[in-house]
Amino acid sequence: MNDILKKKFPSFSNALLIDINTNALQQSFAAGDVIMRTGQYIKNTVLVLSGKIKIYREDEEGSEFFMYYLQPGQACAISMICATKNQKSQIMAKVVEDVELIMVPLQLMDKWMMQHRSWYEFVIDTYRSRFEEVLDVIDSIAFRAMDERLEFYLKRHRDACDCDDLKLSHQEIATELNTSREVISRLLKKLEQRGVLKMHRNNIELLK
Amino acid sequence: MNDILKKKFPSFSNALLIDINTNALQQSFAAGDVIMRTGQYIKNTVLVLSGKIKIYREDEEGSEFFMYYLQPGQACAISMICATKNQKSQIMAKVVEDVELIMVPLQLMDKWMMQHRSWYEFVIDTYRSRFEEVLDVIDSIAFRAMDERLEFYLKRHRDACDCDDLKLSHQEIATELNTSREVISRLLKKLEQRGVLKMHRNNIELLK
DNA sequence: CTCCCTATGTGATAAATGTTACAGATTGTA
DNA sequence: TACAATCTGTAACATTTATCACATAGGGAG
């Protein structure tokens, strides 16, 4: 575990790496697994070694709204936040590519803040970058109409997969933007006409 | 300063209070002042002793979107987050009731995390509660139509002023929800018909 | 009181988004 | 090949929100 860990979290000190190795568990999940549900108690802080996770906000009727990706080298800010107060999860986490995770028990998450400068900085930086990302999400829904929100959504997915072919169905996109499939189909066609993308079955090819 | 500070921030240790007294500045602002603008560099973490501040997100065209209140005993999570990286402000802060603030230089913000347990816990708790508040804001715009968003907005303002008379014009509400005055007037009338509130000039009286 | 400024009310219309219904296309599988 | 399941296209219509135009009302200053 140490090798991948060191590679994916290069800022961690050796002492911290040793602490993680002795105290944290490694766990794997397959694509499609929901590893955290709204309302569940969070017992661990999650570090991602490999794979991809999508984080959603859910409402009472079961609608979901895509917030952000969790990728290798990152941690779930919300699990950190909830962990420190033994709180219920405010989000839902779904695996989109098989993942290997490090599960850090919540008491350690807190304890290490005082013991390991590199952990402290990692945690603060995780808070910071996620807060900023969430503010960008607020911008997109507060200020933008659906066409621009769709473009924002597609760009974030391109950033996450680091490729121009997005394996997404119209229905999937609609669900994650909390709108209907027809709306997305229409808007995608407009974007295709503008030359922004090319549509294929289960696949959207971004051109710019 | 020590007395108010101790009263408004009861969790702070004596050592921390002394450190604040020796190192931080007190500053006052009048209602209407904009004390932070999007894009400005943040040099201090802000603690509120008295008064009220509203925090907004702005877009390029100058629209503003209300995010949350800053009240006595609270700190600006975003100023903490930006401070640790010497970043530009992502938000705009407007004074709505004359405020007295404690300005903590950013190097101290960071240094105290290791030195004062009570500061560390305060900062983490600030992150946590603001993150949660921001998630609730996302819910309201992602899942709700304007009528419910308006109710949510009014309730948050009631919580903040701790009274049932909200001194708000329709235009003000429209601006902070990024919609138009006519829409708010019409929705308010519906809420009045439902018995949720009573409208007066520059004043909305919440009934339930 | 009169004038002016701001706040509010409201109808008409446009534009965006949501809903319903159904058709055709593609893919996997029996 | 035939069938089922899923994905996509599209028309028609309903609803919500935005925009424009203008009327009315209240409060403060002179």
Side-chain angles (χ1 to χ4, degrees), chain A residues 50-64:
Chain A
S50 67
K52 283 193 182 70
I53 297 173
K54 285 173 105 166
I55 304 291
Y56 301 86
R57 189 79 175 156
E58 291 180 304
D59 81 343
E60 308 80 44
E61 284 99 44
S63 312
E64 33 191 80

Side-chain angles (χ1 to χ4, degrees), chain B residues 36-186:
Chain B
M36 198 181 295
R37 287 195 168 76
T38 305
Q40 266 186 334
Y41 280 99
I42 295 182
K43 301 180 198 71
N44 298 286
T45 291
V46 174
L47 305 183
V48 182
L49 285 180
S50 67
K52 284 192 183 70
I53 298 174
K54 284 172 105 167
I55 304 291
Y56 300 87
R57 189 80 175 155
E58 291 179 305
D59 81 343
E60 307 80 46
E61 284 98 45
S63 311
E64 32 191 82
F65 177 78
F66 171 67
M67 299 247 300
Y68 53 76
Y69 270 102
L70 267 193
Q71 306 229 48
Q74 300 182 338
C76 181
I78 300 185
S79 72
M80 289 172 167
I81 283 169
C82 299
T84 56
K85 284 281 170 176
N86 198 14
Q87 280 217 332
K88 284 182 185 172
S89 164
Q90 307 283 326
I91 47 99
M92 188 263 284
K94 198 186 283 174
V95 177
V96 292
E97 271 176 35
D98 296 5
V99 288
E100 293 173 292
L101 306 176
I102 305 282
M103 314 294 270
V104 178
L106 55 87
Q107 324 87 276
L108 292 177
M109 144 82 202
D110 213 31
K111 194 175 154 207
W112 289 349
M113 290 292 278
M114 294 289 167
Q115 291 176 346
H116 298 289
R117 181 77 194 173
S118 63
W119 177 253
Y120 163 78
E121 284 181 354
F122 176 76
V123 169
I124 295 290
D125 199 57
T126 297
Y127 284 158
R128 188 188 54 73
S129 59
R130 285 308 171 192
F131 212 111
E132 282 174 18
E133 194 162 2
V134 164
L135 291 182
D136 284 337
V137 170
I138 287 194
D139 282 358
S140 75
I141 26 181
F143 297 127
R144 309 284 165 218
M146 197 51 84
D147 54 346
E148 286 189 78
R149 288 177 54 192
L150 175 58
E151 284 198 74
F152 176 68
Y153 173 91
L154 294 175
K155 276 175 193 156
R156 294 174 81 205
H157 277 71
R158 169 166 61 187
D159 292 346
C161 77
D162 203 27
C163 69
D164 289 335
D165 288 298
L166 309 178
K167 309 243 166 313
L168 297 165
S169 73
H170 298 185
Q171 183 58 65
E172 220 173 322
I173 300 174
T175 303
E176 304 202 336
L177 286 172
N178 197 46
T179 177
S180 67
R181 201 260 316 157
E182 294 89 332
V183 171
I184 295 299
S185 291
R186 283 195 268 257

Side-chain angles (χ1 to χ4, degrees), chain A residues 138-179:
Chain A
I138 286 193
D139 282 358
S140 75
I141 29 181
F143 297 127
R144 309 284 164 219
M146 198 51 82
D147 55 347
E148 286 189 79
R149 289 177 54 193
L150 175 57
E151 283 198 75
F152 177 68
Y153 173 91
L154 294 175
K155 275 174 193 153
R156 295 174 80 206
H157 277 70
R158 171 166 61 186
D159 292 347
C161 77
D162 202 28
C163 68
D164 289 336
D165 287 298
L166 310 179
K167 307 240 164 319
L168 297 165
S169 72
H170 300 186
Q171 182 58 65
E172 220 173 322
I173 300 173
T175 303
E176 303 201 337
L177 287 172
N178 197 46
T179 179

Side-chain angles (χ1 to χ4, degrees), chain A residues 82 177 196:
Chain A
C82 298
L177 287 172
V196 176

Side-chain angles (χ1 to χ4, degrees), chain A residues 145-146 179-180 182-183 186 201:
Chain A
M146 198 51 82
T179 179
S180 67
E182 293 84 341
V183 171
R186 282 195 278 253
R201 190 186 170 84

